[in-house]
Amino acid sequence: MRTEELRSLALFDGLSNDQLRELAAVGEELHFDVGTELFVEGRPADFWWVLLEGRVDLLRHVGREENRLGSMDEPGRWAGGFRAWDEHGVYLATGRGSLPGRAFRVPAQALRERCDTWFRFGAHLIEGLIRTARNFETVTRQGEALVALGNLAAGLAHEINNPAAAATRAVDALEDACEALTSSVTGLVTSSISAEQITALDKLRREAEPAGAAESAIVVADREDALSDWLSDNGVKQGWDVAPTLAGAGL
């Protein structure tokens, strides 16, 4: 790597010629094309990358979508190298070439050694900053995971709630029907009805066929009138109240 090109970058204004030569000696120049991935989100940030020429898009996955956070589009823009100050440091985005170019790459360990030698106090400040950024990143990712989990739980609850609500309504209806049946049996028993009469009523119930939905209102009304007349002829008081129920039951 030519030190003259590094000297032209404002990033290295504070370094002496000797320091610049030392940094160039531990790094290397790499060429990249459109679509080349220089570094990948979530992988260990083992290298410090400085753009010399071209453009690198910074991409990040959120769920299944890939979002562009920004670009390294000017010489001197840099990314990565976090493992120089944090042993758990990872790349926060994927760097992918969007224009052909060149980059200067320095191993994170070599960068840390240079920083410790040249400006120890600055290295401590950077280390604290990187660790804070990693903590924020961890909290952010946990928040994203919780949001995704909450959406999944809400969707699952919705899917479960529909059949569960239908089952609840069916149980309530069955409970009402059982209560009505019990009340009817109790009424029959208290009316001193005989066993033979109960058997006859049960036989009549079994023979009944409820009217279909396609049956017209006129047919049902005619059957109600016929039942009402028959009940009256057979001594049943207020047969017009009973007739609609019997007609609906298919009698």
Side-chain angles (χ1 to χ4, degrees):
M1 182 69 213
R2 294 183 299 108
T3 58
E4 294 79 7
E5 185 169 11
L6 295 181
R7 175 58 68 193
S8 67
L9 303 178
L11 176 64
F12 301 113
D13 282 350
L15 298 183
S16 67
N17 291 331
D18 290 339
Q19 289 173 331
L20 203 56
R21 281 192 291 270
E22 186 178 345
L23 184 63
V26 297
E28 60 180 330
E29 178 183 343
L30 294 177
H31 292 257
F32 60 86
D33 297 317
V34 175
T36 300
E37 290 188 347
L38 305 181
F39 46 89
V40 179
E41 175 189 359
R43 298 278 182 83
D46 291 328
F47 291 95
W48 183 54
W49 298 83
V50 180
L51 184 68
L52 300 175
E53 181 184 0
R55 186 175 68 197
V56 176
D57 285 342
L58 300 176
L59 310 168
R60 182 165 182 174
H61 282 87
V62 178
R64 295 185 177 181
E65 297 183 359
E66 185 178 72
N67 298 323
R68 190 173 74 88
L69 302 181
S71 297
M72 296 165 59
D73 52 5
E74 295 181 7
R77 294 284 182 89
W78 63 271
F82 304 125
R83 289 219 164 186
W85 299 279
D86 180 5
E87 62 180 0
H88 301 295
V90 297
Y91 292 112
L92 303 181
T94 295
R96 182 182 300 155
S98 53
L99 287 177
R102 297 175 296 120
F104 177 55
R105 186 177 77 170
V106 179
Q109 183 59 37
L111 179 63
R112 177 57 187 260
E113 292 171 357
R114 303 287 86 71
C115 289
D116 286 345
T117 302
W118 297 340
F119 40 98
R120 183 72 177 174
F121 176 67
H124 285 306
L125 292 179
I126 295 174
E127 183 175 3
L129 177 62
I130 294 297
R131 290 186 182 277
T132 300
R134 180 165 66 86
N135 290 336
F136 285 160
E137 175 71 9
T138 300
V139 172
T140 300
R141 287 187 178 275
Q142 289 176 345
E144 292 174 352
L146 287 175
V147 170
L149 182 60
N151 291 335
L152 177 61
L156 183 60
H158 176 73
E159 294 298 326
I160 292 177
N161 186 55
N162 287 338
T168 300
R169 289 193 297 271
V171 170
D172 290 342
L174 181 60
E175 184 180 6
D176 292 341
C178 290
E179 181 64 28
L181 179 60
T182 302
S183 297
S184 298
V185 172
T186 301
L188 290 173
V189 172
T190 55
S191 298
S192 301
I193 190 171
S194 67
E196 291 77 8
Q197 289 173 317
I198 291 180
T199 301
L201 283 175
D202 185 61
K203 180 180 179 182
L204 183 64
R205 178 187 65 80
R206 293 176 183 276
E207 293 175 351
E209 295 182 2
E215 194 171 43
S216 68
I218 294 178
V219 173
V220 176
D222 290 343
R223 186 160 63 247
E224 289 179 7
D225 290 341
L227 282 168
S228 179
D229 293 342
W230 185 91
L231 291 170
S232 297
D233 293 343
N234 286 271
V236 178
K237 297 180 180 180
Q238 297 180 329
W240 61 86
D241 283 339
V242 182
T245 301
L246 297 178
L251 295 176

